Every structure is written in C-alpha cells, then in structure tokens.
Amino acid sequence: YRSVIATMWSISDSHAPQVANDVYRFLFKDGKNDSTQVAEALHYAIQNLQLNTQPSFATWVPFIHIGV
C-alpha cells in the first residue's frame, strides 16, 4: 500500500468511527476519489475531532499516516 492510516496504540471505540468517516468524507468530497490526499484527510479528521469533542491528548495522538 502506498498510504496507510494506523494507530500507535489502543483507540476509543467512540472516536474511531468519527475519524474514519471524516477521512473518507474528505477524500471523496465533490465526487472525487483522491487517494493522494490521505495525510491531509487525516489532519482534517483529527482537527474535526479536537474541535467537536474536546478530547484528551491521548484520544487523538495515536492516529498516524505512513506513506505518500
């Protein structure tokens, strides 16, 4: 795989689906399927998580992107 989103340790069952939905929403916005924007999509999703839920540092920091 050229690009992967993963976690470094356990994550919250309540926040993981939100992050996944936000990543895919970003990647498929405007009917596009731009897989070169995965890192930006994860950044967008984490920002959205931070703004909407005010989670602790340990809630959002495990998400990482590896690849191009």
Side-chain angles (χ1 to χ4, degrees):
Y1 299 96
R2 296 183 58 162
S3 188
V4 175
I5 293 175
T7 59
M8 298 289 286
W9 53 83
S10 297
I11 56 173
S12 166
D13 286 341
S14 62
H15 294 115
Q18 177 185 346
V19 171
N21 285 335
D22 288 343
V23 165
Y24 284 111
R25 183 179 303 117
F26 186 91
L27 291 176
F28 293 110
K29 69 182 175 187
D30 301 326
K32 297 178 183 175
N33 180 3
D34 191 356
S35 62
T36 64
Q37 301 292 317
V38 175
E40 189 174 354
L42 179 60
H43 178 72
Y44 163 80
I46 296 303
Q47 279 186 322
N48 198 28
L49 179 68
Q50 291 170 329
L51 292 173
N52 292 327
T53 63
Q54 301 296 315
S56 68
F57 179 77
T59 300
W60 59 266
V61 78
F63 294 92
I64 61 169
H65 170 260
I66 300 170
V68 291

